[in-house]
Structure formats: structure tokens, C-alpha cells
């Protein structure tokens, strides 16, 4: 491990575009089974992402994104995130997420019912991330 390097390079890519390519001192990834914190010098890994909050800290600034699944690779102080959707916290449409939460799911647990439940969980997560607003960054 190279402990001389003090930063990571975080890259986030969706099918539409490269969302982010910037240095970070710390990156928190929403893995499918919990959160993973990454510091410079981290051993290589590839993992499956869940829906949740991606946080980056660089100096005194912190950036937050809603990530909707995908995969992450950590290698040579570079964190690469491949995800179908990445939305900067400030750009989350809180009204649309709130409407998605209010839509009925249906009583029978069909595949479409499960998909609607997943959509509600994504909406709930987006609202949580967006509402953190201007709280003190603690990435």
C-alpha cells in the first residue's frame, strides 16, 4: 500500500455521462449490504452497490449523491463507480420523490408490487439525502 498518496480520485459514470471525476480525501460508498468507507491506500476491491448516499470529502468540502445501485472498484487510490443513476443531493427533486412515496403500492406482492416498493424505497432515500441540506459535513 502506498501511504504517501493523500488523496483518492473518485469517478462516477452513468450510461448517459461521466457525472464526477474529482479528488477526495475520503469516499463513503452505499454498498448493497452496508456502507463502505474508503481512504487512500485501501486494498483493491470490486463490490456491488445498493441504492443510497455516496459521500466525498475533500478538504473542508463535502459532496453527496444519490446512487441507484451498480458496481464500485477501488484500485490504486482510484474509486470508480458505475451506476444507472447518480443525482447530486442538491439536484434531487424532493416533490417528485414525495409524490412517489404517496402513490399506492397495491395489496398483492406481485413483481410490479415489489418494483413499486423498491421505487418507494429509492424515493425515501432520495428525500433523506436531499433533506440533509446544509448540515455540517461529516463524511
Amino acid at each position: 500500500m502506498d501511504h504517501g498518496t493523500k488523496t483518492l480520485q473518485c469517478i462516477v459514470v452513468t450510461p448517459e455521462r461521466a457525472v464526477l471525476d474529482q479528488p477526495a480525501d475520503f469516499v463513503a460508498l452505499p454498498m448493497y449490504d452496508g456502507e463502505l468507507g474508503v481512504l487512500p491506500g485501501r486494498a483493491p476491491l470490486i463490490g456491488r452497490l445498493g441504492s443510497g448516499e455516496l459521500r466525498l470529502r475533500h478538504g473542508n468540502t463535502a459532496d453527496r449523491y444519490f446512487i441507484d445501485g451498480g458496481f464500485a472498484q477501488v484500485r490504486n487510490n482510484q474509486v470508480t463507480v458505475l451506476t444507472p443513476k447518480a443525482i447530486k443531493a442538491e439536484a434531487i427533486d424532493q416533490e417528485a420523490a414525495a409524490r412517489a412515496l404517496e402513490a399506492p403500492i397495491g395489496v398483492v406482492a406481485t413483481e410490479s408490487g415489489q418494483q413499486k416498493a423498491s421505487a418507494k424505497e429509492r424515493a425515501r432515500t432520495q428525500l433523506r439525502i436531499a433533506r440533509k441540506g446544509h448540515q455540517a459535513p461529516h463524511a
Side-chain angles (χ1 to χ4, degrees):
M1 281 192 256
D2 179 10
H3 293 288
T5 302
K6 300 286 192 237
T7 61
L8 302 160
Q9 190 67 22
C10 185
I11 300 165
V12 177
V13 180
T14 67
E16 291 81 28
R17 64 189 178 99
V19 175
L20 176 69
D21 187 351
Q22 73 180 45
D25 301 317
F26 173 80
V27 177
L29 297 167
M31 305 307 284
Y32 79 97
D33 59 351
E35 186 173 88
L36 173 70
V38 180
L39 290 167
R42 169 92 176 62
L45 86 97
I46 293 176
R48 185 164 52 106
L49 295 166
S51 293
E53 182 180 36
L54 167 74
R55 295 188 318 275
L56 295 92
R57 186 181 66 223
H58 187 64
N60 291 328
T61 63
D63 292 312
R64 300 177 306 110
Y65 292 80
F66 168 75
I67 299 294
D68 195 13
F71 292 90
Q73 177 186 45
V74 178
R75 185 170 172 259
N76 297 330
N77 290 317
Q78 180 172 303
V79 179
T80 304
V81 173
L82 304 174
T83 182
K85 184 185 287 186
I87 307 170
K88 192 159 175 75
E90 297 83 356
I92 292 172
D93 185 340
Q94 292 187 52
E95 290 179 16
R99 282 193 305 273
L101 277 177
E102 293 168 5
I105 288 181
V107 179
V108 181
T110 63
E111 182 174 285
S112 63
Q114 290 171 348
Q115 289 171 348
K116 288 179 184 176
S118 295
K120 284 186 181 290
E121 187 57 38
R122 285 192 299 275
R124 191 174 290 112
T125 301
Q126 286 181 27
L127 281 173
R128 179 179 49 77
I129 293 168
R131 288 177 177 162
K132 280 186 178 178
H134 300 290
Q135 294 176 354
H138 57 283

